[in-house]
């Protein structure tokens, strides 16, 4: 069996859905197919926005709901025919009525709990898969709609639920193994449920993760992630002219690259794949003949570095002062406080003089982080053990990634020479001891220059 996943841009309208169906059909001639789908592009954002509107009593959510239903019905009419057209139209309408009732409830109580938000957010996948399964049948491809809430068990961490793999694999096998070979399984991405049947979601862009959980449950050899780019690039092609598609990378490189901005695949996707040694392949629905990027345990890539990624809109918080030297517990208190404030740290660096600890957070969290730490260390600040909690905003993290960097001297020299040669100032540096990621901070306006300088230093001729 083949597991294929199509993202929101691959099912954004009837034309894209029709070409997606052709791709599924040609795979289906050789293998049974289980296909996982996202909501149509933009629908999840609209649902979340509508829920927020309803929670503050803004009637705008009614228009939002109408847009979603109209777009769904229009797509359905372009793809379905005969009795199935009527049945699909009614199914879409029923889903939208249920969604409308939920939003109305949120409007009445003027609050939207994370649990309700998860239920609302999942309608995008339920709608897209209802349309897709019936569109396949109308084109002569037998297909069955499968609600992933019957396949994936999670805890109740709404918005980003933790998967119970053992229970999910049992459910997946029970529901999907042993189905007729000629029937395409059309599985809703992103959504899951607790053991008491409460709807949850796997986090934004979680459909990739759905696909790898389903693939692991079915013990397939390979999972195809179909998206709208040719694969994972050596750097963001919007900023780096010589960027090229990487034919092969390792799971760990994929995880690092996807975390640091090359948002081709959700980083959690690799977890079940690593465990079961399943090959992932990134493919392009707009260019189905391109070979894409293969992701496996051991990539045969021989380049010194694999890729360069970046995260924009970050801020650097610097806690500094002579009194911190040799004082135990400062770092512990600092990061515990950030955890209590639910602020995620993206990068940490402390020089061995212990004069300062600096860390990087999302720019949106920066003011809150600085304020919390000024409060946490009020006594130390007053006694001048800590001189200041300083903030620098609108920065960019650049991360140089590759498993082949490990144990090889001179790489960071080349990275920083390249950046130094064009006169850029680096504000902080971090390298984990896994030696597969060297990260540094530059002002946001220097992003393009920094990415190009490093890319050119390692890939002088482009590909
Ligand atoms: N529809 C969900 C989202 O937009 C999941 C996905 O697209 O993978 O986050
Ligand atoms: Mg998406």
């Amino acid at each position: 069996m083949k597991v294929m996943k199509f993202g929101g841009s691959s099912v954004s309208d009837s034309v894209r859905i029709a070409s997606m169906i052709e791709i599924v059909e040609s795979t289906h001639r050789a293998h049974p197919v289980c296909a996982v789908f996202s909501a149509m592009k933009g629908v999840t954002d609209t649902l979340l926005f509508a829920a927020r509107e309803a929670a503050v009593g803004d009637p705008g959510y009614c228009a939002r709901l109408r847009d979603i239903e109209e777009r769904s019905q229009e797509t359905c009419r372009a793809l379905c025919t005969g009795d199935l057209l009527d049945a699909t139209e009614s199914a879409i309408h029923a889903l939208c009525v249920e969604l409308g009732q939920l939003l109305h409830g949120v409007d009445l109580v003027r609050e939207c709990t994370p649990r309700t938000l998860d239920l609302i957010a999942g309608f995008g996948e339920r709608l897209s898969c209802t349309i897709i399964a019936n569109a396949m049948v109308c084109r002569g491809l037998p297909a069955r709609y499968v609600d992933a809430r019957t396949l994936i068990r999670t805890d109740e961490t709404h918005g980003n639920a933790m998967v119970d793999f053992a229970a999910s694999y049992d459910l997946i096998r029970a529901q999907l193994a042993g189905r007729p070979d000629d029937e395409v399984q059309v599985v809703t991405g992103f959504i899951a449920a607790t053991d008491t049947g409460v709807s949850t979601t796997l986090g934004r862009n979680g459909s990739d993760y759905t696909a790898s959980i389903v693939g692991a449950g079915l013990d397939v050899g390979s999972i195809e992630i179909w998206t709208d780019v040719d694969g994972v690039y050596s750097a963001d092609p919007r900023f780096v002219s010589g960027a090229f598609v990487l034919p092969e990378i390792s799971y760990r490189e994929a995880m690092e690259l996807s975390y640091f901005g090359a948002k081709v695949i959700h980083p959690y996707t690799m977890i079940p794949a690593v465990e079961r040694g399943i090959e992932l392949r990134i493919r392009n629905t707009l260019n189905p003949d391109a070979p894409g990027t293969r992701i496996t345990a051991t990539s045969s890539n021989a380049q010194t570095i694999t890729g360069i990624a970046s995260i924009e809109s970050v801020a650097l918080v610097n806690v500094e002062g002579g009194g911190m030297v040799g004082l135990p517990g400062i770092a512990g208190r600092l990061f515990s406080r950030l955890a209590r404030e639910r602020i995620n740290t993206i990068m940490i660096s402390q020089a061995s003089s212990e004069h300062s600890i600096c860390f990087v957070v999302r720019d949106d969290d920066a003011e809150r982080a600085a304020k919390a730490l000024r409060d946490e260390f009020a006594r130390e600040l007053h006694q001048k053990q800590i001189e200041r909690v300083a903030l620098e905003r609108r920065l960019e993290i650049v991360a140089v990634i590759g498993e082949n960097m490990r144990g090889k001297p001179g790489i960071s020299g080349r990275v920083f020479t390249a950046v130094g040669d064009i006169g850029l100032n680096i504000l902080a540096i971090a390298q984990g001891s896994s030696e597969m990621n060297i990260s540094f901070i530059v002002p946001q306006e220097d992003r393009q220059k920094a990415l190009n300088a490093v890319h050119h230093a390692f890939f002088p001729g482009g590909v």
Side-chain angles (χ1 to χ4, degrees):
M1 183 175 256
K2 267 254 160 85
V3 171
M4 307 172 83
K5 179 259 168 177
F6 293 87
S9 61
S10 303
V11 295
S12 59
D13 57 37
S14 57
V15 176
R16 301 297 305 277
I17 293 177
S19 28
M20 172 280 292
I21 293 177
E22 276 174 31
I23 293 172
V24 171
E25 241 172 348
S26 73
T27 303
H28 179 257
R29 276 183 218 118
H31 310 267
V33 173
C34 174
V36 176
F37 297 93
S38 295
M40 295 171 79
K41 192 182 173 92
V43 169
T44 311
D45 286 331
T46 307
L47 288 165
L48 296 173
F49 194 81
R52 256 177 251 122
E53 283 178 325
V56 295
D58 177 343
Y61 73 86
C62 300
R64 229 62 67 200
L65 174 64
R66 254 196 321 276
D67 290 347
I68 290 175
E69 171 151 20
E70 260 164 38
R71 183 170 166 199
S72 304
Q73 296 290 16
E74 190 192 327
T75 309
C76 160
R77 283 193 297 273
L79 293 163
C80 298
T81 44
D83 286 351
L84 257 186
L85 171 60
D86 295 339
T88 316
E89 278 179 326
S90 316
I92 291 169
H93 184 64
L95 280 168
C96 291
V97 168
E98 191 186 334
L99 174 61
Q101 285 168 343
L102 277 166
L103 288 167
H104 183 57
V106 169
D107 181 6
L108 287 176
V109 296
R110 288 293 149 84
E111 72 167 341
C112 187
T113 61
R115 172 174 163 160
T116 303
L117 194 62
D118 258 355
L119 183 57
I120 292 172
F123 273 78
E125 274 69 10
R126 291 163 67 190
L127 283 164
S128 67
C129 288
T130 300
I131 299 168
I132 290 163
N134 289 333
M136 284 180 174
V137 175
C138 289
R139 271 150 202 259
L141 190 60
R144 179 174 75 122
Y145 172 92
V146 183
D147 188 319
R149 292 175 297 179
T150 64
L151 304 178
I152 300 178
R153 275 290 153 278
T154 68
D155 70 358
E156 289 191 16
T157 317
H158 287 287
N160 208 351
M162 302 283 287
V163 174
D164 177 343
F165 290 105
S168 303
Y169 294 162
D170 285 344
L171 288 166
I172 288 163
R173 269 189 298 273
Q175 305 277 341
L176 299 181
R179 297 293 309 178
D181 277 357
D182 69 341
E183 179 187 75
V184 176
Q185 308 300 312
V186 175
V187 177
T188 57
F190 184 49
I191 58 176
T194 67
D195 54 5
T196 54
V198 176
S199 292
T200 55
T201 60
L202 302 180
R204 290 310 306 273
N205 304 312
S207 302
D208 297 335
Y209 192 24
T210 305
S212 72
I213 298 165
V214 168
L218 294 172
D219 224 354
V220 298
S222 142
I223 296 170
E224 290 178 355
I225 308 277
W226 289 82
T227 175
D228 57 358
V229 290
D230 275 344
V232 180
Y233 278 80
S234 57
D236 191 330
R238 288 172 307 168
F239 304 122
V240 178
S241 49
F244 55 92
V245 174
L246 299 162
E248 234 184 282
I249 56 177
S250 72
Y251 295 126
R252 290 156 56 108
E253 289 168 340
M255 234 177 276
E256 296 269 345
L257 283 166
S258 52
Y259 178 79
F260 282 96
K263 295 204 174 55
V264 178
I265 186 168
H266 192 288
Y268 289 3
T269 312
M270 264 65 75
I271 300 169
V274 170
E275 188 197 311
R276 305 255 162 151
I278 303 169
E279 168 198 278
L280 299 169
R281 209 179 252 277
I282 313 296
R283 305 287 303 271
N284 188 356
T285 27
L286 296 170
N287 185 13
D289 295 329
T293 298
R294 254 185 69 178
I295 308 174
T296 58
T298 49
S299 120
S300 62
N301 171 18
Q303 313 263 27
T304 314
I305 71 163
T306 299
I308 309 158
S310 65
I311 304 185
E312 62 181 356
S313 301
V314 299
L316 191 65
V317 185
N318 201 16
V319 180
E320 53 183 279
M324 285 163 55
V325 179
L327 206 64
I330 297 276
R333 278 169 60 199
L334 190 160
F335 293 111
S336 307
R337 180 63 190 254
L338 292 177
R340 284 205 300 283
E341 304 285 335
R342 305 204 131 278
I343 294 171
N344 185 32
T345 32
I346 306 172
M347 176 178 143
I348 302 171
S349 170
Q350 178 184 15
S352 64
S353 74
E354 298 182 56
H355 264 268
S356 77
I357 301 177
C358 76
F359 60 90
V360 176
V361 295
R362 289 188 324 124
D363 202 61
D364 293 345
D365 291 334
E367 294 285 0
R368 222 154 46 80
K371 191 160 165 279
L373 295 181
R374 287 188 189 118
D375 173 63
E376 177 71 32
F377 296 114
R379 199 169 52 91
E380 287 81 358
L381 282 161
H382 182 69
Q383 293 171 349
K384 307 281 187 237
Q385 282 172 312
I386 292 178
E387 271 154 44
R388 64 175 151 255
V389 176
L391 194 59
E392 247 181 290
R393 302 190 54 182
R394 280 170 284 283
L395 307 176
E396 180 89 14
I397 303 185
V398 176
V400 181
I401 288 154
E403 297 230 44
N404 294 342
M405 303 197 304
R406 199 173 300 133
K408 216 177 260 168
I411 314 265
S412 56
R414 279 169 74 186
V415 170
F416 296 120
T417 302
V419 180
D421 278 352
I422 55 163
L424 297 188
N425 183 34
I426 293 172
L427 292 118
I429 299 174
Q431 179 189 347
S433 63
S434 72
E435 292 186 65
M436 60 173 297
N437 177 334
I438 300 172
S439 298
F440 59 92
I441 307 286
V442 291
Q444 199 151 296
E445 61 267 23
D446 291 336
R447 161 181 43 199
Q448 183 145 2
K449 282 193 219 146
L451 288 172
N452 278 287
V454 179
H455 199 271
H456 192 75
F458 289 93
F459 306 114
V463 193

